[in-house]
Amino acid sequence: EGEDPPNSKEKTPIRFGWIVGVMVRCMLNIWGVILFLRLSWITFQAGVVLTCVIILMSVVVTTVTALSISAIATNGRVVSGGTYFKISRTLGPEIGGPIWMIFSFANALACALNTVGFAEVDLGVVIVDLINDVRIVGVITVTILMFITVAGMEWESKVKILFFIVLLVSFANYLVGTIIPQSVEKQAVGIFGYRGDIFVENLLPNWRGPQGSFFLMFAIFFPAATGILSGANISGDLKTGDKLL
């Protein structure tokens, strides 16, 4: 009799399915600044063959990680805590804690990486100069993202769907642009579309500058393959039937 009745007005927590909660989040992290701004540079340095090797190595690492996450998740009930919960319950909190601290720091750096990549996009307007424009746009972008995050998971998921649609449109725009005949201005800067002789010429690596090495190219590309953890990190916000990741 002394217990208080449950509050019927309490808001039900937001739960996501595997599409919004896992797939969209992983695709947004994979289709990031590395793919749009660095993959072409990696291909320019490493060539088509070694670039395919780099992508294949990243896929192998990601596949093994996905199988490991699935094995851990199916061994017991997964609640909130994401990657930290899985690691700490498997290897112990002594190992899970330090790994999670490093992973949190890596997420902060990933946010900075994508923010700088977005700020480097040529908007056709110069505010101060090239360097300070990146800083100004970056600060504004991070502030907007902070407000979206503070607003809650519901707003954050809606914005992610909007970003996902923008990415799909950009991919369609890219594919259409590759089959459109290139103008003289674009050919002057090296954009010719599909040409067999250029493809064969770029099969092998052509290292230029001090950054030219296979493992450095792999290190630059690999952050694009870590997006798989985005779905695992919100395990506490997934629906019961979708908590496999």
Side-chain angles (χ1 to χ4, degrees), residues 67-170:
L67 293 176
S68 301
I69 293 175
S70 299
I72 296 173
T74 52
N75 275 338
R77 183 171 178 266
V78 178
V79 295
S80 61
T83 308
Y84 166 74
F85 176 85
K86 298 176 181 65
I87 295 176
S88 62
R89 296 305 181 275
T90 305
L91 303 177
E94 297 84 1
I95 298 178
I99 291 178
W100 180 247
M101 291 180 62
I102 296 174
F103 185 66
S104 300
F105 181 68
N107 275 340
L109 294 181
C111 178
L113 171 70
N114 288 278
T115 301
V116 172
F118 172 76
E120 286 182 351
V121 175
D122 186 9
L123 301 177
V125 178
V126 178
I127 304 174
V128 179
D129 54 58
L130 294 178
I131 297 179
N132 288 306
D133 284 0
V134 173
R135 295 168 178 167
I136 294 172
V137 176
V139 170
I140 295 174
T141 302
V142 170
T143 304
I144 294 175
L145 293 176
M146 181 189 67
F147 284 126
I148 294 174
T149 305
V150 172
M153 290 291 293
E154 184 177 3
W155 279 95
E156 187 257 358
S157 63
K158 292 178 180 178
V159 174
K160 280 185 176 294
I161 294 175
L162 176 62
F163 289 164
F164 185 69
I165 295 174
V166 172
L167 278 176
L168 293 180
V169 172
S170 65

Side-chain angles (χ1 to χ4, degrees), residues 15-25 234 237-239 242:
R15 300 295 182 186
F16 304 103
W18 70 271
I19 296 179
V20 178
V22 180
M23 187 192 74
V24 173
R25 294 174 183 275
I234 62 165
D237 298 303
L238 297 176
K239 293 180 181 178
D242 295 313

Side-chain angles (χ1 to χ4, degrees), residues 171-237:
F171 275 125
N173 184 38
Y174 171 80
L175 293 176
V176 171
T178 58
I179 62 177
I180 294 178
Q182 305 301 324
S183 62
V184 178
E185 291 80 7
K186 289 186 177 181
Q187 292 183 14
V189 295
I191 302 176
F192 295 94
Y194 295 106
R195 282 182 53 176
D197 56 338
I198 296 179
F199 177 77
V200 173
E201 183 181 351
N202 288 277
L203 283 176
L204 299 178
N206 184 12
W207 307 117
R208 300 185 183 181
Q211 298 121 344
S213 68
F214 174 80
F215 289 103
L216 180 59
M217 297 299 108
F218 176 77
I220 293 174
F221 176 80
F222 188 73
T226 59
I228 184 176
L229 296 177
S230 300
N233 286 338
I234 62 165
S235 58
D237 298 303

